Amino acid sequence: MKWFKRIILIILLLSILLILALILFEIFGMFANHLTTDRQTKKLTSDLEREISDIEIIRVDAITGNTSGTGNHVECMSVIAFSTELTKSEIEDFLSKYYTFDDCDCFVEMQENGSYIFHLVRSAPFPDNIEGH
């Protein structure tokens, strides 16, 4: 009977350790995803400032999570509002060496007041993290 209690105790301890490991993995994934979003946003800001000489950054936003609302995945989204005298096509031409423009994950949008918003969405390094649920 003593060996039976030891086996049950070992099974319980292993279960607890497995649950703790899973929780730590999720926390690590959240940290890595947020770090990736911050780096992506800083790179985008740097690329904009390097390629557009008369740029004036109005606002910078970074969001990590399920940005599209379709499914349980995590994305890194950077949104930068800025003003410049360049046209939308000129902006895209200058930045085409860094980004592939489409109408969903990477695009420049002109606002009514003449400013622009650059949207960039990329998959997170831990896309199945709990943050996406």
Side-chain angles (χ1 to χ4, degrees):
M1 194 64 157
K2 199 172 193 181
W3 60 270
F4 182 71
K5 287 181 183 179
R6 285 184 183 168
I7 290 174
I8 296 297
L9 184 61
I10 289 172
I11 290 172
L12 287 174
L13 287 176
L14 286 176
S15 298
I16 290 171
L17 286 175
L18 182 63
I19 290 170
L20 285 175
L22 182 63
I23 291 170
L24 289 175
F25 180 74
E26 290 294 326
I27 291 171
F28 175 77
M30 289 172 63
F31 176 76
N33 289 344
H34 282 271
L35 184 63
T36 301
T37 303
D38 290 341
R39 285 183 180 171
Q40 171 181 294
T41 304
K42 287 178 184 174
K43 182 183 180 314
L44 176 57
T45 304
S46 173
D47 292 342
L48 283 167
E49 290 173 339
R50 179 175 36 257
E51 295 298 326
I52 302 173
S53 59
D54 68 337
I55 192 168
E56 180 182 334
I57 304 282
I58 299 169
R59 192 168 125 194
V60 177
D61 291 319
I63 301 167
T64 305
N66 187 346
T67 61
S68 64
T70 57
N72 55 351
H73 58 279
V74 181
E75 298 163 322
C76 303
M77 183 167 90
S78 303
V79 179
I80 298 179
F82 62 95
S83 62
T84 181
E85 294 297 320
L86 298 176
T87 65
K88 179 182 171 184
S89 61
E90 290 173 327
I91 294 168
E92 290 176 348
D93 286 342
F94 282 130
L95 296 170
S96 63
K97 58 185 164 187
Y98 306 110
Y99 306 99
T100 303
F101 290 93
D102 58 25
D103 291 332
C104 184
D105 293 331
C106 182
F107 61 94
V108 177
E109 176 183 14
M110 185 172 186
Q111 300 297 297
E112 290 180 12
N113 63 1
S115 65
Y116 296 94
I117 296 180
F118 193 115
H119 295 267
L120 179 63
V121 179
R122 298 282 187 253
S123 181
F126 291 86
D128 293 329
N129 191 270
I130 191 133
E131 250 181 328
H133 297 273

